[in-house]
Amino acid sequence: MGTKSILAGLALALLFSATSASAQTSKLDEVLARGHLVVGTGSTNAPWHFKSETDQLQGFDIDIAKIVAKGLFDDPEKVEFVLQASDARIPNVVTGKVDITCQFMTVTAARAQQIAVTIPYYREGAGLMLKADSSYADYDALKAAGSGVTIAVLQNVYAEELVRQALPEANVDQYDAQDLIYQALNAGRADAVATDQSSIAWFLVQQPGQYKDGGYGWSPQTYSCAVARGDQEWLNFVNTALHEAMTGVEFNTYAASFKKWFGVDLAPPKIGFPVEFQ
Amino acid sequence: MDLAQFFDILWSVRWPILSGIGVTALVSALAIIAGSFVGVFVGLALTYGVLPLRWLARVYTDFIRGTPVLVLVLASFYILGTIGLQLSAFQAGVLALAVFCSSHVGEIVRGALQAIPRGQTEAAKAIGLTFSQTFSYVLMPQAGRQIAPAWVNTAAEIVKASTLLSIIGVAELLLATQEVIARTFMSLPFYFHAGFLYFCINFSIERLGKYVEKKLAIPQS
């Protein structure tokens, strides 16, 4: 039995007591009275949540949490980060150890039965990264080469199937660790690596000019924060803070963070008729 | 892999890694000390306790020893919270490891005490020693020789089990190492480095155990 299933069982068992306890007053009032936001996140995944060289937490998830804190206290630094493994994301929300979890959580309907998911702040997907001087120009060239190309991918039950969805004939080499797939690419043992689009974007930001994006994304998944079920006011507040970060007054903060971690300039939302209804 | 580059990065992350070692050492030391202390009483209860107490100690040791440490860690962090005992991740981790340690030490102590011939206790009684005097002056010095090697084993297990606390966010050595790997993508050298540090910690415990064994040994003439 894996950690995940143990934790899922715990989470379900504790769901009832936790939801009934928070029914009286909103988490929003509790957080405001406390004076700082308690956010569950990780510390081992760049560019989402990881330690800087000065041992400070940084990343896109961290910036999202700070946007929520700024909405609450007009001060993005009034956040206490609680470190947690990915497996602990849902239990820590359900048991009230944290006010909110922002930790690249993929939204699934099954998870939404245990926690309330906020509006999305990023759409993740798989992508292909090649060396800048690769003989293959992009995704189409790799696909045209058929079984002549080798793709390095992080070992996973679904890894081979994932690559096959994009490149049905390619050879798939699986590696144990993220750094090993990059080494395979550098050593020429693989023609491209298949990994998260965000990882590719972060790699391109860090080592400009050495690599290129294959220009094709697939296998979409939505990243959202999570809060405890049964507190609509708190969920609404977080949704509002995130929504205004992507479309309203905090857009510049969101866009600066997006640029910093993914190297992409976002176009400001169109002024006039709200983009949401177009 | 460029060795100079590795040492360069290692030097730049010396403080987080050192603090990871500190947390690992502190968690392990607290758990081993508390667990050994409780464990001696569990062992006494298992060996000399009156029937209900012996039965209770038996259920405790069997239940704890039969549970994975990971489950104990998660239980003390999440389940104790729902009954009103809100422990921090650090406290919950120390508690779980101490409880785990106590069950093992309990069995070690029981085994050592039962290996002492009954005549020793009877002789102590005959010269009028109370039970606590019998225990401190007659039984424990003899049991200590049996306990020391097995205790080193358990202590090393606790140090290794402390890596599980990274799940609930205690920034011990493994988590500190993973944080470095997340930024540098150098998984093999840094995992190897962490493995070496764990070996050093456990080797020190082993040396300490050997020293205690030597102190307890019957002088050979």
Side-chain angles (χ1 to χ4, degrees), chain A residues 70-90:
Chain A
K70 190 177 177 195
L72 284 161
F73 307 108
D74 203 24
D75 182 351
E77 298 307 319
K78 289 198 170 165
V79 191
E80 178 196 338
F81 289 105
V82 171
L83 298 189
Q84 57 190 22
S86 291
D87 291 345
R89 288 179 295 195
I90 290 175

Side-chain angles (χ1 to χ4, degrees), chain A residues 2-3 6-7 10 14 17 43-46 49-55 58 82-85 87-88 91-92 95 97 177-180 182-183 202-203 206, chain B residues 1 12-13 15-16 19 70-71 74-79 81-82 85-87 166-171 175 178-189:
Chain A
T3 328
I6 298 171
L7 283 166
L10 266 177
L14 301 172
S17 55
S43 59
T44 57
N45 295 89
H49 38 258
F50 64 115
K51 292 286 185 79
S52 71
E53 281 171 20
T54 52
D55 209 33
Q58 57 176 10
V82 171
L83 298 189
Q84 57 190 22
D87 291 345
N92 277 4
T95 57
K97 299 260 180 205
Q178 190 77 14
D179 58 331
L180 297 182
Y182 298 128
Q183 275 179 32
W202 171 237
F203 226 73
Q206 277 193 304
Chain B
M1 183 53 59
S12 75
V13 298
W15 295 118
S19 116
L70 179 61
V71 173
L74 296 177
S76 71
F77 190 51
Y78 290 114
I79 293 180
T82 58
L85 190 59
Q86 283 290 353
L87 296 179
S166 61
I167 301 263
I168 54 172
V170 178
L175 187 59
Q178 286 171 335
E179 285 171 355
V180 174
I181 292 170
R183 187 177 62 248
T184 60
F185 295 111
M186 295 170 77
S187 59
L188 285 181

